[in-house]
Amino acid sequence: MTLSRRHLLKGIGAGALSAATLTTLGNAMYGFQAANAAEVTGYKALVCIFLLGGCDTHDVLLPYDQSSYDSFRNIRSSMFGGYNGSRDRSQLLQLSPTNASDFGGRQFAMPPEMSGLHGLFQSGDAAFVANTGPLIQPLNRSQWQSGTVPVPKQLFSHNDQQSTWAASAPEGAQYGWGGRFADASVLSGANNNREFSTITTVGNELFLTGQEVLPYQIGTNGADEIDILDDFSNSDITNLLRRHFSASDFNDSNLIEKDVARIADKSVVLNEAYNQAVANLVPISTQFPQSYLGSQMKAIANAIAIRDSLSVRRQVFFAAIGGFDTHSTQAADLPGHLSEVSAAITAFHAAMKELGVGNDVTTFTASDFGRTLAANGDGTDHGWGSHHIVVGGAVQGQRIYGDVPPAEFGHSQDADSGRLIPTISVEQYAEPMGRWFGLSDSDLAAALPNLGNFTAPNPVQNIL
């Protein structure tokens, strides 16, 4: 690959300057392409919450009918004592999906610590997408065992599968589908300030990186600023420091130095404008949990609240929480993490309704991979397919989309040890979000390169 000036400076900016303004470089270095016909009227936002480490979603969408529950409990008997009764059938929160007939007599539930998301499912504002994960084309157990169908590279590797979820390729990929979605919207004129098209609360994130957009980074209290600019009462000193960070009078002929100066200059302007808009915001009355993810979701809610000040009509956000690599002490650790996720998403959805954009913001979960149904003692090992949740007023909720494999071994989607072979690819999971976001068929094909390998109808196509 040719190392372009844009790619070199992207690396310099990520390491030496605020990731908040790397999009400026994209504007300067990457020419406009012919815009596809993305539909960009009104406001819409996608919010990805990534569960780092590989969340055991066998423990999120739980079997509830007596036969399935007994099988699940028997397989995981070594862990059940550690849950202090929270996985007893009497404590589970039964789901009432409107498509229950799709599963025969099988029933499902959620753990008690996820009461908020359970309530959203029951009210129709949330849905499950079952057994989704990275695929190149449809695959079953016999094809997996014979090796006759191509599969994603570096399966079961944390870094590679996080990358594959984001960009359909292992570590080293350049563009994520969230960034590609934003690209299409930007090129169709959705945002006057493209710098605010993709926003992350956790760092420079592949999922949000496109050809036209790069992640704008915010913290839980807003965008970072250069503190030294506020440390002097003497306005002359402050003005000199501002000139130091400005490209306005930078006269060196070195192109890279000019671009770095331009990034620094834009960083000051953008971050101060962003924080000023937040400072002028009427506070959101919805109470967010005082947790790491709760703080991230509050920051994203504030960013959406100032959307008019930022001159944006399409945005993609990324938040994340770790702790899901539960090889051991899963019963002790996982419930707390699931409680944090449920409380943060529930508060965020309430805030979106307060802002009047409950139907215009869709939140969804993702993770490196699921985990094995089999227990390794007091934990579980790296899996593949997993069950995910989509939340929002536009969601056709109270449904479980796709197939939930049985709580047993040796079925058609069992790679081994209850490691699920996905029946819904990440591309299929993302497609209805892209269509709802306003993307055309050609936009979707560019953002989701393996989508054409899966025949219609998409099992998730009516979720939005």
mmCIF file of all heavy atoms in Angstrom, residues 11 88 142 163 166 196 220-221 291 373-374 380 417 433:
data_model
loop_
_atom_site.group_PDB
_atom_site.id
_atom_site.type_symbol
_atom_site.label_atom_id
_atom_site.label_comp_id
_atom_site.label_asym_id
_atom_site.label_seq_id
_atom_site.Cartn_x
_atom_site.Cartn_y
_atom_site.Cartn_z
ATOM 1 N N GLY A 11 -1.815 9.280 11.316
ATOM 2 C CA GLY A 11 -1.056 8.654 12.393
ATOM 3 C C GLY A 11 -0.419 9.676 13.302
ATOM 4 O O GLY A 11 -0.409 9.536 14.522
ATOM 5 N N ASP A 88 -31.638 -18.398 39.176
ATOM 6 C CA ASP A 88 -32.746 -19.321 39.409
ATOM 7 C C ASP A 88 -33.898 -18.918 38.496
ATOM 8 O O ASP A 88 -34.162 -17.714 38.288
ATOM 9 C CB ASP A 88 -33.201 -19.259 40.869
ATOM 10 C CG ASP A 88 -32.178 -19.852 41.816
ATOM 11 O OD1 ASP A 88 -31.191 -20.465 41.341
ATOM 12 O OD2 ASP A 88 -32.357 -19.692 43.042
ATOM 13 N N SER A 142 -21.471 -28.572 9.531
ATOM 14 C CA SER A 142 -20.784 -29.519 8.643
ATOM 15 C C SER A 142 -19.808 -28.792 7.720
ATOM 16 O O SER A 142 -18.702 -29.289 7.452
ATOM 17 C CB SER A 142 -21.803 -30.325 7.828
ATOM 18 O OG SER A 142 -22.568 -29.486 6.984
ATOM 19 N N SER A 163 -11.988 -5.634 15.195
ATOM 20 C CA SER A 163 -11.793 -5.001 13.897
ATOM 21 C C SER A 163 -12.758 -5.550 12.855
ATOM 22 O O SER A 163 -13.324 -4.800 12.054
ATOM 23 C CB SER A 163 -10.344 -5.200 13.428
ATOM 24 O OG SER A 163 -10.150 -4.673 12.140
ATOM 25 N N ALA A 166 -16.110 -4.138 13.175
ATOM 26 C CA ALA A 166 -16.147 -2.732 12.765
ATOM 27 C C ALA A 166 -15.976 -2.542 11.274
ATOM 28 O O ALA A 166 -16.532 -1.604 10.697
ATOM 29 C CB ALA A 166 -15.065 -1.948 13.496
ATOM 30 N N PHE A 196 -18.112 16.877 13.070
ATOM 31 C CA PHE A 196 -18.963 16.333 14.127
ATOM 32 C C PHE A 196 -19.848 15.199 13.628
ATOM 33 O O PHE A 196 -20.834 14.858 14.273
ATOM 34 C CB PHE A 196 -19.819 17.452 14.728
ATOM 35 C CG PHE A 196 -19.018 18.586 15.301
ATOM 36 C CD1 PHE A 196 -19.157 19.874 14.802
ATOM 37 C CD2 PHE A 196 -18.126 18.369 16.342
ATOM 38 C CE1 PHE A 196 -18.420 20.930 15.333
ATOM 39 C CE2 PHE A 196 -17.380 19.416 16.876
ATOM 40 C CZ PHE A 196 -17.522 20.697 16.366
ATOM 41 N N THR A 220 -16.127 12.667 28.983
ATOM 42 C CA THR A 220 -17.410 12.643 29.673
ATOM 43 C C THR A 220 -17.881 14.039 30.062
ATOM 44 O O THR A 220 -19.061 14.242 30.342
ATOM 45 C CB THR A 220 -17.329 11.754 30.928
ATOM 46 O OG1 THR A 220 -16.258 12.211 31.755
ATOM 47 C CG2 THR A 220 -17.086 10.306 30.541
ATOM 48 N N ASN A 221 -16.979 15.023 30.027
ATOM 49 C CA ASN A 221 -17.349 16.402 30.347
ATOM 50 C C ASN A 221 -17.226 17.342 29.151
ATOM 51 O O ASN A 221 -17.169 18.564 29.321
ATOM 52 C CB ASN A 221 -16.478 16.925 31.496
ATOM 53 C CG ASN A 221 -16.721 16.177 32.790
ATOM 54 O OD1 ASN A 221 -17.865 15.970 33.177
ATOM 55 N ND2 ASN A 221 -15.651 15.748 33.448
ATOM 56 N N SER A 291 -21.876 5.844 36.444
ATOM 57 C CA SER A 291 -20.977 4.763 36.052
ATOM 58 C C SER A 291 -20.188 5.225 34.847
ATOM 59 O O SER A 291 -20.491 6.267 34.250
ATOM 60 C CB SER A 291 -21.777 3.503 35.702
ATOM 61 O OG SER A 291 -22.600 3.733 34.555
ATOM 62 N N LEU A 373 -21.104 -21.982 25.281
ATOM 63 C CA LEU A 373 -22.143 -22.440 26.199
ATOM 64 C C LEU A 373 -21.522 -23.268 27.317
ATOM 65 O O LEU A 373 -21.928 -23.183 28.475
ATOM 66 C CB LEU A 373 -23.189 -23.252 25.438
ATOM 67 C CG LEU A 373 -24.330 -23.855 26.258
ATOM 68 C CD1 LEU A 373 -25.167 -22.766 26.920
ATOM 69 C CD2 LEU A 373 -25.206 -24.748 25.368
ATOM 70 N N ALA A 374 -20.512 -24.047 26.967
ATOM 71 C CA ALA A 374 -19.818 -24.867 27.958
ATOM 72 C C ALA A 374 -19.078 -23.978 28.945
ATOM 73 O O ALA A 374 -18.495 -22.953 28.576
ATOM 74 C CB ALA A 374 -18.842 -25.816 27.272
ATOM 75 N N THR A 380 -16.289 -18.893 31.072
ATOM 76 C CA THR A 380 -16.538 -19.403 29.722
ATOM 77 C C THR A 380 -15.428 -18.921 28.802
ATOM 78 O O THR A 380 -14.737 -17.942 29.092
ATOM 79 C CB THR A 380 -17.897 -18.918 29.192
ATOM 80 O OG1 THR A 380 -17.953 -17.485 29.272
ATOM 81 C CG2 THR A 380 -19.045 -19.514 30.004
ATOM 82 N N SER A 417 -18.491 -27.034 21.691
ATOM 83 C CA SER A 417 -18.677 -26.525 23.057
ATOM 84 C C SER A 417 -19.740 -25.432 23.161
ATOM 85 O O SER A 417 -19.676 -24.582 24.039
ATOM 86 C CB SER A 417 -17.343 -26.001 23.622
ATOM 87 O OG SER A 417 -16.359 -26.998 23.612
ATOM 88 N N MET A 433 -30.023 -0.719 9.631
ATOM 89 C CA MET A 433 -29.621 0.545 10.246
ATOM 90 C C MET A 433 -29.186 1.531 9.168
ATOM 91 O O MET A 433 -29.498 2.728 9.224
ATOM 92 C CB MET A 433 -28.501 0.313 11.255
ATOM 93 C CG MET A 433 -28.864 -0.605 12.406
ATOM 94 S SD MET A 433 -27.503 -0.696 13.601
ATOM 95 C CE MET A 433 -27.731 -2.366 14.224
#
